[in-house]
Amino acid sequence: MRVRGFLLFAVAAAVALGFASCSEEDDTVEEFPGWQARNEAYFNHLSDSVAELLRLDPSRTDWKRIKSWSKDSEAVGVNSDYIVVNVVEEGDPASATPLYTDTVSVHYRGRLLPSVSYTQGLVFDESFTGEFDPDVAHPFTFAVGASSGSALIDGFATALQHMKRGDHWIVYIPHQLGYGSRASSSIPAFSTLIFDLRLVDFWPPEISED
C-alpha cells in the first residue's frame, strides 16, 4: 500500500474560513458567516485545481475527481456534479468495488470546513473517536443504497461505489451532493462535507429462499 499526503488545501481552507462575524444587534459571534459563498468558493477552487492536476498528469492516482452516480455519465457536467478524493492509502488492487445494492463495512469521520469556533472543522458524525486505532475501532455497517431506512447522500454513495477493500480516502462533497440548501442536525445548509473514509469490506444482499 502507498501512503499519500492530503494537506494540499488545508491552509487555504483555514485562511478562507477563519474569520468571525458579529451581529450588529447583540455582538454575538456568528459561527458560520458567509457560509454558502465560502463553501462554494472552496469547493470550486479545489475541484478546478484537481482537474488541472489530472489534466497535466492523467497517470496520477493520489487525487480523483469522480462524477456522482446519479448524474449523466456522458455529459461533462459542472464542479458540483463531482466529488473530489484524496487517496491517502491504497487498498487491495485485486478487490472489486461495491454496488449500490451492496452492504458495506466502513470507518468514517465527517467534518465541516473550518469555522469560528472549530478551526479544524466541526465533526458532525464519526464511527470512532480520537485518533483512529484499527485494533479498537468498530466499523459501521449499512447498505450503500440506504442507511437506517434513508438513502445516503449522493456524494457518500458515489465514493463507496468506487472504493476497494482497504482504501483510505479523504472525500470532499459539494453541498449539491450532500444536504444542499437545507440544514441537517448540526450541519448548516450549503455545507461542503469532508469525510475521512476507510472501506473495510462489502457484500451483496442476502437472497431469501422463501
Side-chain angles (χ1 to χ4, degrees):
M1 296 182 180
R2 290 173 287 174
V3 177
R4 308 285 189 177
F6 61 91
L7 299 178
L8 182 60
F9 299 94
V11 174
V15 172
L17 300 172
F19 299 100
S21 175
C22 295
S23 167
E24 295 180 358
E25 296 181 358
D26 57 10
D27 292 331
T28 58
V29 175
E30 183 181 351
E31 184 65 44
F32 305 105
W35 196 240
Q36 179 178 357
R38 291 181 177 186
N39 276 260
E40 290 179 349
Y42 173 84
F43 187 81
N44 282 329
H45 174 71
L46 174 64
S47 189
D48 287 340
S49 298
V50 171
E52 180 65 8
L53 286 177
L54 297 175
R55 185 190 69 81
L56 293 173
D57 184 3
S59 66
R60 292 186 71 132
T61 59
D62 55 342
W63 287 95
K64 299 177 185 288
R65 190 167 174 267
I66 303 173
K67 198 167 193 181
S68 169
W69 70 272
S70 64
K71 302 295 181 179
D72 181 0
S73 61
E74 301 300 322
V76 174
V78 296
N79 282 337
S80 59
D81 292 335
Y82 294 80
I83 62 171
V84 173
V85 171
N86 182 210
V87 179
V88 181
E89 192 169 7
E90 294 179 329
D92 180 3
S95 170
T97 55
L99 301 175
Y100 188 73
T101 53
D102 286 346
T103 295
V104 296
S105 177
V106 301
H107 300 290
Y108 71 91
R109 172 175 287 152
R111 69 174 67 245
L112 305 179
L113 295 184
S115 62
V116 174
S117 302
Y118 303 95
T119 57
Q120 301 301 313
L122 170 67
V123 174
F124 58 83
D125 196 11
E126 58 189 352
S127 65
F128 60 93
T129 57
E131 293 295 322
F132 176 74
D133 183 345
D135 293 329
V136 299
H138 296 285
F140 274 24
T141 298
F142 46 78
V144 176
S147 177
S148 300
S150 300
L152 294 177
I153 57 172
D154 279 7
F156 199 84
T158 297
L160 289 172
Q161 291 175 84
H162 287 81
M163 298 183 78
K164 297 183 177 183
R165 292 179 178 89
D167 276 350
H168 176 194
W169 288 3
I170 306 298
V171 182
Y172 300 82
I173 301 174
H175 70 78
Q176 293 89 343
L177 301 179
Y179 294 101
S181 60
R182 70 185 189 278
S184 177
S185 187
S186 60
I187 303 172
F190 304 109
S191 290
T192 297
L193 308 178
I194 305 173
F195 282 95
D196 184 322
L197 182 59
R198 305 164 192 256
L199 178 63
V200 178
D201 200 2
F202 64 90
W203 53 91
E206 294 183 3
I207 299 175
S208 174
E209 296 182 356
D210 295 339

